[in-house]
Amino acid sequence: MATWNLDPAVIHLNHGSFGATPVEVLALQSELRAQMESNPVRFMLRQYQPALETCRSELAGFVGADPDGLVFVPNATYGVNSVLRSVEDRLRPGDELVVTSQTYNACRNAVTATAARTGCSLVVADVPFPLSGPADVTEAVLGVVTPRTALVLLDHVTSPTAVINPIEEIIAALDPSVMVLVDGAHAPGMIDVDVAALGAAFYTANCHKWLCSPKGAAFLWVAEPYRDSAVAASVSHGYNDGWPGSGSRFHAQFDWTGTDDATARLCVARSLAVIGQHRSGGWAAVQAANHELVCAGRDLLIAALSIDAPAPAEMLGSIAAVPVPPEPQPSESIFDPLTTALHERWSIEVPVFAWPQSPQRLLRISAQQYNRLDDYHRLVDALTEELALG
Ligand SMILES: Cc1ncc(COP(=O)(O)O)c(C=O)c1O
């Protein structure tokens, strides 16, 4: 059984934002940091690369990727930025870069910046929420695709609306000349991911969310035709000189992007093992239990709020969003007043997002192995009082 360092006085219903890491994995990270500080040169120049290769092959096996096509990045945002930088030479003024209305804001910003630099247009597919099924997403995305579409950014699991997008169907329907970048920030560890089978050009995702690795561990997978021209968002030695021990030009671009604390990515193999041994049945059992719990938690919220399910349960992994009554007084704070009240008065960490725009909003719950159904009952009690429900 994995154990966690989480504050027991708090109800943690937001694994989705920054994850949480089991004690055993954090112990390895501390050990690696001690080794690094006892001899930084030995650690960086001799230990780092072989340890990275072990994590690369374990992670590649887990997500159905070939290790040759997989590199570590610090986070999904960096993965998206690296891809956009890598494809700039392929873009022509007037080309269209597609995102959706549910694309994660930081990554949408990265596409907006690329569009501005290259003279391309940003095209936004308006995906509804609540939605009746995966076809709502497929239709919205394919509805904005034109012969000028050069790149489509698809979130595998969306952030504010917390649904699994039908990326397989969308990719299959697109012309192969369209470059698809999948932002799978939430996907590995939440749902089965088979990167190579998807047919995308690029797939980036976090390990520090549902794989429970330490913060600063993520990956980027690049399909074979794009590997030679891929560059990291931070260009370093690999651009001309290679990097000692890196197996290819592509790996060298990303294996060293400047001195940093590499211990998070060196713990990925351990986090795969620790969570994989947490339940008999391994990762499949963990994912299924988290899904079941988030659906049960969502059912409690739906009943308390007297609303219909805003998305079918089949579109959920282990996060779920529900609309809550609009914010009564618009606030200047980046935190919704309800998030603050739940944090301050009830010791519940749960995010509330303005959606589709303030004052309308969504509350998003997560379910991870440290959560129990009672956590969601406590949330319902708190909401009943804060929102004067019932
Ligand atoms: C869909 C999606 N993409 C990207 C990110 C960004 O992750 P990071 O901050 O680790 O880069 C998130 C974070 O929640 C996300 O939900």
Side-chain angles (χ1 to χ4, degrees):
M1 285 283 279
T3 51
W4 311 81
N5 266 348
L6 293 164
D7 181 350
V10 172
I11 297 178
H12 300 272
L13 292 178
N14 189 9
H15 188 90
S17 283
F18 306 113
T21 304
V23 170
E24 204 180 324
V25 180
L26 293 173
L28 172 63
Q29 187 174 35
S30 298
E31 196 184 307
L32 290 170
R33 283 190 171 136
Q35 290 172 14
M36 175 167 70
E37 294 309 330
S38 76
N39 187 340
V41 175
R42 180 186 62 201
F43 185 85
M44 297 293 183
L45 298 182
R46 299 186 199 285
Q47 277 177 245
Y48 167 65
Q49 196 67 35
L52 188 75
E53 296 307 339
T54 303
C55 286
R56 188 193 326 264
S57 52
E58 294 284 323
L59 177 62
F62 187 81
V63 297
D66 49 320
D68 290 350
L70 187 141
V71 287
F72 284 94
V73 289
N75 48 58
T77 307
Y78 190 100
V80 167
N81 276 279
S82 299
V83 169
L84 292 169
R85 182 179 185 133
S86 301
V87 302
E88 259 186 29
D89 286 351
R90 297 171 189 258
L91 301 175
R92 299 284 162 265
D95 281 352
E96 293 168 356
L97 313 179
V98 173
V99 298
T100 82
S101 50
Q102 299 182 12
T103 298
Y104 187 72
N105 179 58
C107 301
R108 174 175 168 154
N109 284 345
V111 179
T112 304
T114 296
R117 264 199 309 275
T118 55
C120 294
S121 315
L122 180 79
V123 175
V124 183
D126 197 9
V127 179
F129 189 85
L131 38 69
S132 55
D136 289 0
V137 186
T138 309
E139 277 164 28
V141 174
L142 297 181
V144 300
V145 169
T146 75
R148 295 306 309 261
T149 304
L151 179 136
V152 179
L153 170 60
L154 293 174
D155 289 11
H156 202 165
V157 180
T158 62
S159 175
T161 51
V163 291
I164 303 167
N165 275 333
I167 59 170
E168 296 83 355
E169 287 90 322
I170 297 171
I171 295 169
L174 288 168
D175 188 277
S177 64
V178 176
M179 295 180 284
V180 177
L181 162 55
V182 180
D183 172 1
H186 284 280
M190 179 191 282
I191 54 176
D192 290 341
V193 174
D194 192 354
V195 162
L198 284 171
F202 308 97
Y203 191 107
T204 189
N206 283 329
C207 305
H208 52 229
K209 288 189 191 283
W210 296 91
L211 294 184
C212 302
S213 304
K215 280 132 204 65
F219 74 88
L220 169 66
W221 175 84
V222 175
E224 221 276 322
Y226 298 96
R227 280 177 205 163
D228 277 351
S229 52
V231 283
S234 165
V235 169
S236 184
H237 294 297
Y239 196 72
N240 66 340
D241 264 358
W243 177 249
S246 274
S248 65
R249 184 208 157 275
F250 170 57
H251 280 183
Q253 301 296 317
F254 291 84
D255 288 354
W256 187 266
T257 54
T259 307
D260 70 345
D261 180 349
T263 55
R265 52 192 179 273
L266 300 185
C267 290
V268 168
R270 182 68 61 92
S271 60
L272 287 172
V274 169
I275 304 293
Q277 287 156 14
H278 181 69
R279 293 180 91 97
S280 65
W283 272 98
V286 168
Q287 291 177 183
N290 289 346
H291 171 72
E292 224 170 272
L293 185 57
V294 91
C295 289
R298 188 181 73 151
D299 285 347
L300 295 177
L301 290 170
I302 285 172
L305 292 160
S306 308
I307 55 171
D308 292 329
E314 307 78 68
M315 290 183 81
L316 302 185
S318 44
I319 51 178
V322 289
V324 288
E327 196 184 324
Q329 283 158 351
S331 98
E332 295 295 304
S333 164
I334 59 159
F335 296 110
D336 185 281
L338 182 56
T339 304
T340 305
L342 292 167
H343 167 81
E344 289 178 357
R345 286 205 277 276
W346 301 85
S347 293
I348 298 176
E349 292 294 353
V350 72
V352 178
F353 305 106
W355 183 270
Q357 61 268 313
S358 178
Q360 291 162 292
R361 53 191 179 163
L362 297 176
L363 177 145
R364 189 187 76 190
I365 53 171
S366 295
Q368 183 50 285
Q369 292 296 292
Y370 49 79
N371 292 120
R372 300 288 171 265
L373 190 59
D374 190 50
D375 296 341
Y376 307 90
H377 280 292
R378 298 273 297 278
L379 174 63
V380 166
D381 290 346
L383 289 175
T384 303
E385 196 163 316
E386 294 296 333
L387 298 172
L389 301 175

